[in-house]
Structure formats: structure tokens, C-alpha cells
Amino acid sequence: MSSGRFPVTTIPDLVVKAGVQQALDNLRAAFPDWVLTVLPDGQGGAWVEVASVPLGAPYVQGESFLIFLLPFTLPGSDIYPMFVRADLARIDGGPLGDGFQQTEVSWPGEAAPRPIIQVSRRTRGAFAAQTASQKVAKVLDWMRSR
């Protein structure tokens, strides 16, 4: 959703299961301008980092990274958890509220844990009825409507 075209970056020996590859293809098609870094989780799933996602109101920060796991059990599982920048703050100075929790994430993208905010918006019901891009869009829409 950025204004310019950016390459998708992956590690050369990315090995993921078919459902995860479909989710990656879906994300690339839905968000062609996003810079995606994709790293295997060692089980057939993949960690994904989107370099710069526009946030806008109600947040002070105009953008954030977004990190999430595409589990090896796709499409029969939820795309969860999702993480954003640790310094996320509301323009009105209020609390972020339910669904946000400050923590750290350890993932293959970095040697040391990264301070982050976990965004908890689990999909209820049939996970397979929702594509990866739909889940990401729903979480971002939810964040922007808070």
C-alpha cells in the first residue's frame, strides 16, 4: 500500500508447505507494493515481515512494520500472531486498549528479541474461509478503527 514499487525479498532456500506458498502468493497479489521479507520457520511455515504498513489515525506513527507467522498448518489454521512497532501510541494519548500487548518476539529474522506490540485478533470459525490477505486487511482495518 505504499506509493512505490518494491521487491519481494526471500531467502534463497525457502521451503514451505503448499498452503503457506498459496498464502504468500495471495499476499503478493493483494499487496504488490509491499516489501515482504519471508523466512522459513523450520516446520514448513514462514515468518513474514512487511517493512512499512501505513497506519494513520488514530496513531501518532504514520506507519509500522508488521510481522506475522504463516503456520505450516495453513489453510486449516489462523494467521497468528501479528506484531507491530513497540512505540505505537494513540494521537489522543489514550491507551491502546484490548487486543494490544507489549512483549518481545524472537524470530529467524533477527539474532536478538525485538520489543513489539502483539495485536490479538484471532479468527473465529472456519480459518480456511479467509485468505492471508483478508486476515491481514481485517487486522489493519480493526487497528485503524480503534
Side-chain angles (χ1 to χ4, degrees):
M1 294 188 160
S2 66
S3 58
R5 289 266 180 207
F6 297 100
V8 174
T9 57
T10 60
I11 64 165
D13 58 347
L14 180 67
V15 177
V16 296
K17 293 194 173 186
V20 175
Q21 186 59 59
Q22 289 172 344
L24 288 168
D25 293 344
N26 172 259
L27 288 164
R28 289 177 177 131
F31 306 109
D33 294 339
W34 280 7
V35 176
L36 301 178
T37 300
V38 182
L39 299 162
D41 72 354
Q43 298 178 326
W47 284 96
V48 177
E49 180 174 16
V50 182
S52 180
V53 175
L55 293 178
Y59 302 103
V60 172
Q61 297 82 0
E63 61 185 35
S64 175
F65 62 82
L66 179 66
I67 297 173
F68 53 92
L69 177 65
L70 297 174
F72 70 92
T73 51
L74 285 176
S77 60
D78 198 4
I79 297 168
Y80 181 83
M82 292 193 184
F83 306 106
V84 295
R85 61 190 301 156
D87 63 345
L88 189 66
R90 293 180 54 83
I91 292 170
D92 64 9
L96 294 175
D98 291 340
F100 295 93
Q101 180 178 349
Q102 195 123 30
T103 187
E104 290 184 339
V105 65
S106 295
W107 69 299
E110 297 168 333
R114 182 194 301 198
I116 49 86
I117 291 178
Q118 181 173 337
V119 181
S120 295
R121 299 304 307 158
R122 296 198 78 152
T123 300
R124 307 287 183 226
F127 302 117
Q130 180 173 260
T131 67
S133 63
Q134 288 169 331
K135 171 65 181 223
V136 169
K138 280 184 180 180
V139 169
L140 293 173
D141 288 347
W142 176 82
M143 286 181 64
R144 293 174 185 132
S145 70
R146 301 285 298 163

